[in-house]
Amino acid sequence: MKGIWKKGAATAAVLFTLLALPLTACGKKTEPPATPEERLALAQAMAEEKAEVDALIEAIGEPASTTYVSSCLGDGEDGQLEYEGFTVYTYRDATGKEAIQDVLATG
């Protein structure tokens, strides 16, 4: 009886470990880059890919301010997202999809 009990406990321990691993991975959230220079570098890399603004905000955090005006290039809006040390310029089309167009360092 002791042999069966040991096997059952070992099996339970292995199953528990396998089930707990995915939960520990889901609980970790990556922190945004700490310095304005790191955020600028990441924003510039994302601008080269014309990444979506939602991905940028998820990666580096919310901007200090945003401004939108009607675009002269299409039916959408041109956006200006202000961060410490840089500005992100975007285009949001009529469907609401917003992509990074350019990033410029300020000050």
Side-chain angles (χ1 to χ4, degrees), residues 2-106:
K2 285 186 180 182
I4 293 174
W5 185 255
K6 284 182 182 179
K7 280 185 179 181
T11 302
V14 169
L15 288 174
F16 176 79
T17 302
L18 291 174
L19 292 173
L21 281 175
L23 295 176
T24 58
C26 292
K28 292 181 182 177
K29 186 175 182 179
T30 58
E31 292 294 319
T35 67
E37 293 80 15
E38 291 172 335
R39 288 190 291 276
L40 170 60
L42 183 55
Q44 288 172 327
M46 294 178 81
E48 289 179 16
E49 301 170 8
K50 301 292 186 210
E52 291 193 27
V53 171
D54 290 342
L56 173 75
I57 291 172
E58 186 176 319
I60 67 171
E62 293 286 335
S65 67
T66 57
T67 306
Y68 290 93
V69 296
S70 293
S71 178
C72 60
L73 298 175
D75 294 333
E77 297 177 307
D78 294 324
Q80 188 171 326
L81 287 63
E82 298 290 337
Y83 285 91
E84 182 183 351
F86 63 97
T87 303
V88 177
Y89 297 94
T90 69
Y91 177 74
R92 181 167 50 193
D93 68 18
T95 66
K97 182 179 176 184
E98 186 176 9
I100 304 166
Q101 299 302 306
D102 200 6
V103 178
L104 296 176
T106 56

